[in-house]
Amino acid sequence: MKRLLILSVGFIFTFGLAPLQADEFTIGILAYHYTEHEHEVVSSFRDGIELSGIDHQFDLKVADGNAVICRDILTQWQQQQIDLVFTIGVSATRIAQQEIEDTPIVFAIESDPVTSNIVESLEQPGHNITGVSNWVSAYRKLGIFNSAMPNLKRLGVIYNPQSPVASMEVHDAQATARTRGIALIGEQIHDSNDAQQALEKLWAQDIDALWIPFDKTIFSQLGQIAQFSRNHQLPVLSSTLNGVELTTEQKPFAMVGIGVDHNRLGRRSVHY
């Protein structure tokens, strides 16, 4: 099977925050999780700051997926009167927005900042926050899927409704799918134990392909999805490179994957 890999990077072009006024800037970097992608963003952001010539120091904190830890880190930074908070990921950005009113916030790996009420608009973010997005619109995403499968009519998707990114992806795709003549058929799962049943339900509805959105619950079941795909000769389309890239745990099984250049995201964040 031929596989298609699409690389993309999303940008929000907004006005910058007010210049920081200090002899040495303290920049707090807050990651809710710290995977390879977060590491790429952090590394390129730090490189960009280094090249800017700004006198600075970094304080990198990882919340390990814990909202309480995340809030404690932000409280500590406020007490220290940190100059800038750089957030990575949807959860870190949302919590920082709730906890911090005056300190500038720059975000990266924020999927849809307008829909998630992080910014007022792409042109005028408002308040003390701005940044870059890794969002790939449903129009573009389904266009890529359609290019790979011109006869795609019934697209199945499994997702956890508690996943903010996956839920936004599916919601964004519903109207776009109709305009492309595609029936989007969804099955919700709440934990990894639900995956097999959801796949069987979708298969019974005569889907042409299975879409894997950005969902950590789904990612934990890639082996099961790969086996189901092979057993039923069901094409798989992925919002990420999961399923497309060869890893130590998994051979490629997805037909199409869409990747974001996280190094460019991190470097672009420096401009704000």
Side-chain angles (χ1 to χ4, degrees), residues 20-170:
L20 301 176
Q21 301 295 326
D23 295 329
E24 181 181 65
F25 304 134
T26 301
I27 302 172
I29 302 175
L30 177 59
Y32 200 72
H33 301 282
Y34 203 71
T35 67
E36 179 183 353
H37 292 160
E38 279 84 357
H39 176 72
E40 290 174 358
V41 171
V42 169
S43 295
S44 56
F45 176 76
R46 295 178 74 157
D47 289 346
I49 294 293
E50 295 286 351
L51 290 171
S52 72
I54 297 172
D55 191 10
H56 66 279
Q57 62 175 347
F58 292 114
D59 186 9
L60 172 61
K61 301 289 188 184
V62 180
D64 294 323
N66 188 309
V68 174
I69 293 175
C70 193
R71 294 182 192 280
D72 288 344
I73 292 168
L74 291 166
T75 299
Q76 180 183 5
W77 281 346
Q78 288 185 91
Q79 293 170 349
Q80 296 171 351
Q81 296 183 328
I82 204 166
D83 297 298
L84 174 72
V85 174
F86 179 52
T87 60
I88 306 168
V90 176
S91 297
T93 302
R94 286 180 175 176
I95 294 172
Q97 183 190 39
Q98 295 165 6
E99 297 294 320
I100 295 178
E101 295 182 358
D102 300 320
T103 304
I105 302 169
V106 175
F107 59 78
I109 316 187
E110 170 59 51
S111 297
D112 190 349
V114 177
T115 301
S116 57
N117 297 316
I118 297 297
V119 298
E120 295 174 4
S121 72
L122 302 187
E123 297 76 19
Q124 299 288 328
H127 307 297
N128 60 326
I129 191 166
T130 188
V132 296
S133 171
N134 63 344
W135 183 249
V136 179
S137 70
Y139 180 83
R140 185 175 183 184
K141 199 174 298 173
L142 291 178
I144 293 168
F145 293 168
N146 241 162
S147 296
M149 293 189 65
N151 296 322
L152 178 64
K153 297 297 181 184
R154 297 177 65 78
L155 178 61
V157 58
I158 56 174
Y159 69 102
N160 186 341
Q162 300 302 314
S163 169
V165 178
S167 295
M168 285 189 289
E169 279 193 272
V170 173

